[in-house]
Amino acid sequence: MSRPATPAWFDVGLDSGVRAALLRAGGLAVLALLAGAWLGMAPPVVLCPLLRFTGVPCPLCGGTTAFAALGAGSAGRALAANPVVVCGAVALACAPLPRARALGRRVARQLGGRALGWLVVGVLIASELWQLHRFGLLASS
């Protein structure tokens, strides 16, 4: 089965991985702009069910805020809301790039499955501690 031909208006001589990364980054940028506009007009909403019902944030809390802050052009506010989500969005946009794919495979091969799992767990724990600090639930000395 052959792949459909690239439309002439889209064939600008880029590698398919670069084209996919640009499309993904463009899509994320449009969604961030829409989120920024929507949250700028709407009253603050709590989308996280854990935060809504228990008052304790999850490791991904602040993701919508970070996404909307990026859409509003405030990278600092986005990183303050949730650095894991911001880094994840950048990784998602770069995933189809050949060098990024090769780097991901090399890191996974060097770490191995179990170590990679522990790395993910460590990142989620660090993110949860950041959220607890951000919401003032960790006692500061």
Side-chain angles (χ1 to χ4, degrees), residues 77-140:
R77 218 174 66 205
L79 285 169
N82 195 324
V84 171
V85 169
V86 175
C87 293
V90 170
L92 178 66
C94 294
L97 291 173
R99 285 187 181 202
R101 253 185 308 197
L103 176 65
R105 280 194 299 266
R106 190 171 51 223
V107 167
R109 193 171 40 248
Q110 286 178 352
L111 285 178
R114 178 168 280 167
L116 191 58
W118 281 110
L119 178 65
V120 170
V121 168
V123 166
L124 289 175
I125 289 171
S127 180
E128 178 64 17
L129 291 173
W130 174 255
Q131 294 306 320
L132 292 172
H133 168 72
R134 185 171 80 101
F135 280 86
L137 297 173
L138 286 181
S140 58

Side-chain angles (χ1 to χ4, degrees), residues 10-92:
F10 192 68
D11 189 13
V12 292
L14 294 175
D15 175 75
S16 63
V18 174
R19 235 187 349 258
L22 288 174
L23 281 172
R24 194 172 283 168
L28 286 172
V30 167
L31 288 174
L33 289 170
L34 291 173
W38 176 65
L39 288 176
M41 295 183 299
V45 288
V46 177
L47 299 176
C48 177
L50 182 65
L51 180 61
R52 179 177 288 189
F53 295 118
T54 67
V56 177
C58 75
L60 298 178
C61 270
T64 306
T65 304
F67 206 57
L70 283 175
S74 178
R77 218 174 66 205
L79 285 169
N82 195 324
V84 171
V85 169
V86 175
C87 293
V90 170
L92 178 66

